[in-house]
Amino acid sequence: MSSDMSRGGGRRWWWPAIIVIAVLFLAWCAFSVVQAFRSAQNLRATVGTAADHARALDTAELAADIPAITASSAEFSNAVSGPLWAVAARLPVIGSTASSARDLAASAVAMAAASEKLEPVLAATDADSIRRPNGSFDLDTLTALAEALRSTQPELDQAAALAAGADPGALGPVGEAVNTAQEQLTGLPDTAAGVVDTLELTTVLLGADSRQKWAVLLQNGSEARATGGFLGAYALLTADDGRLQVDAVDTNNSLTTRIPNRDMPREFLELWTPEYTSEWNSYNLSRHFPYTGQLTYNGMKFRGTPVDDVLAIDAHVVAALLAGTGPVTAAGETIDTANAERFFNEDVYARYPDVAEKDAVVVKLMTELLDRVTSGDFDLPAAARAVIRASDQGRLLVWSSDEQVQPRLESRQVGGVVPEESQPWVATALNNSAANKLDAFVASSVEYQAASCGTGRSTVTVTMTNNAPDPATAPDSETFADSIYPPSARGDTRMWTAIYGPVGAEFHSVRINGKREFVSQGTERGHPVWRWNVEIPRGETAVVTLTFDEPASPTAPQAPPQAMAVPQEVAVSGGCPQ
């Protein structure tokens, strides 16, 4: 009996010990989880700060953030690298969450390694190092930045792969962190490669290899054209080893020679006509900007002012450049970031009904602006931030005659390309056909309801509203020029409305303001292009509803907005779930 009591007493003694050990183990688990959570929050805050500095193009502050990113990444990695997390990663239910936390930590460490490679270059790169006192660009600095960013590609690929392998359905904050990391890192390697390519292209276009002659087109959105507006003014620039020189600034009225267009594709000429595409006022009717670039090259060469490259901007980009120059005053007018868009699209016509006087004011303002941009008196980061936003809206487009450069431009948004691939892609080419300047008051929208997987039927709805003021308020203004298609009333307008359908799409029907209409169809780069001349009386709305059958595609539907004076609104739905 005493032996039994002894064995029972021993068991009673071990149970409290086991309970104590279990409590301590659970406490350690809780502490490890809390520590990991706090480390993750600290890392997220540090990365958020660095992202803000990156968006602000503040390279000095971004470089200063990198040691904190490295330390926070290491802290998070240490917090989830112990034996507890290794065991937890193999358990049911919570295993995926623990494993995902470890993947995120490893991804963060890879990102920190990439950041450390960039730190020395970022610390030495700022506006003063990129721009010399005379206003020229230091191309060596841009090249060094491109090379440093290229060297981070293996770490960026690793970070993206680790984040992609984590489980977005992980429990609690880990799942949220996985979703955020996948959203931010999935395309980061490609984005970084794109930045490298952009930096390399920039050095070439700024004359690193040879002197470059530029035509800068100021497209005026008050008279809509597919690439951003009719050609209101232009400048000829020379770029040589980073130095920009303004050679001439003038308006479209000085372009009196026709544009040779016999080398253009037959389908392009059939769609937009040889006559219109040979005139400077109407040659940019297509959404495919390389056609406009080629025609500009042809026309400038024919008139005796040959160029190598073409840059197209509009009043929104002018406003962005003014963020770097500050207000510009010439000919008694002052333009700044707040009023430039309205001035060039509306006010200049109301204030200067005499065309010659209006042209003189535009030339003097643009000359002063470009002189400031090409001088050292220019806030490069402020302008770059604003220009990037305008470029994202398709308001800055670039073309080059260099056969090595142009294909690289066409892979970027600034190339303004209509893609040849078969995919659910639609776009408008709204071209003013009334010869007035009323498109500063036309609001447009595009709604693309793409076919569900395998159904084939899609709908595009284009809505245009004419919000023009009463013509009596400015009876002599060029804004209300008489339509070339009488008897339209002053204040009414007409839009040559073209809709690009997906490659392989087949027309089904179209209604304009609810009434079934006939269609004129052409082809461009494999896309069917359907066209109508649409009347839009002042104060009214015109609605074009197009239906068509398109091939099934796993690609997400796209409808890039057209650059208009009033930003075009776009809504996309349907397609195959991604």
Side-chain angles (χ1 to χ4, degrees), residues 316-577:
H316 291 256
V317 178
V318 170
L321 292 173
L322 287 163
T325 64
V328 167
T329 300
E333 295 285 356
T334 298
I335 55 173
D336 56 27
T337 56
N339 70 4
E341 296 167 20
R342 179 184 172 108
F343 179 82
F344 285 107
N345 288 331
E346 300 178 38
D347 294 346
V348 69
Y349 297 105
R351 295 180 191 175
Y352 301 98
D354 180 79
V355 174
E357 187 179 8
K358 181 260 297 178
D359 286 354
V361 171
V362 170
V363 167
K364 289 178 181 178
L365 283 169
M366 290 304 298
T367 300
E368 180 64 22
L369 172 65
L370 291 173
D371 284 344
R372 295 271 288 276
V373 169
T374 57
S375 73
D377 184 21
F378 186 62
D379 185 343
L380 181 60
R385 289 191 294 270
V387 168
I388 289 171
R389 288 193 295 270
S391 177
D392 288 342
Q393 299 172 9
R395 300 183 183 280
L396 185 149
L397 302 169
V398 186
W399 177 89
S400 176
S401 62
D402 188 320
E403 294 181 354
Q404 301 300 315
V405 172
Q406 179 56 24
R408 295 168 69 183
L409 286 173
E410 291 186 7
S411 69
R412 316 242 67 83
Q413 185 177 5
V414 295
V417 168
V418 171
E420 292 183 296
E421 298 78 14
S422 178
Q423 57 183 312
W425 186 97
V426 304
T428 62
L430 306 182
N431 292 292
N432 182 295
S433 57
N436 57 34
K437 302 296 182 286
L438 286 175
D439 295 326
F441 309 102
V442 173
S444 64
S445 66
V446 177
E447 182 180 359
Y448 176 27
Q449 294 176 304
S452 300
C453 298
T455 64
R457 183 61 50 82
S458 299
T459 302
V460 171
T461 303
V462 178
T463 303
M464 298 168 285
T465 301
N466 181 358
N467 296 310
D470 187 344
T473 60
D476 298 323
S477 172
E478 188 179 351
T479 300
F480 299 98
D482 290 334
S483 171
I484 61 175
Y485 297 101
S488 296
R490 288 169 65 83
D492 295 353
T493 192
R494 178 183 276 101
M495 196 72 76
W496 195 14
T497 303
I499 300 177
Y500 289 74
V503 171
E506 295 184 2
F507 176 80
H508 178 261
S509 68
V510 65
R511 292 181 180 274
I512 299 178
N513 298 328
K515 181 181 177 182
R516 188 179 292 272
E517 296 285 353
F518 292 104
V519 64
S520 171
Q521 180 173 329
T523 303
E524 186 171 286
R525 294 176 59 79
H527 293 262
V529 183
W530 299 294
R531 299 167 298 166
W532 311 266
N533 250 319
V534 180
E535 293 275 0
I536 318 173
R538 186 173 73 88
E540 296 187 19
T541 295
V543 179
V544 178
T545 304
L546 168 72
T547 59
F548 53 87
D549 296 326
E550 63 174 303
S553 171
T555 308
Q558 301 176 63
Q562 180 177 342
M564 302 281 288
V566 180
Q568 187 178 77
E569 297 182 359
V570 170
V572 176
S573 60
C576 291

Side-chain angles (χ1 to χ4, degrees), residues 30 61 105 123 185 236 248 333 356 370:
E61 290 295 332
L185 297 180
L236 300 178
E333 295 285 356
L370 291 173

Side-chain angles (χ1 to χ4, degrees), residues 46-62:
T46 304
V47 171
T49 299
D52 289 340
H53 290 148
R55 282 189 289 268
L57 302 181
D58 191 335
T59 55
E61 290 295 332
L62 182 57

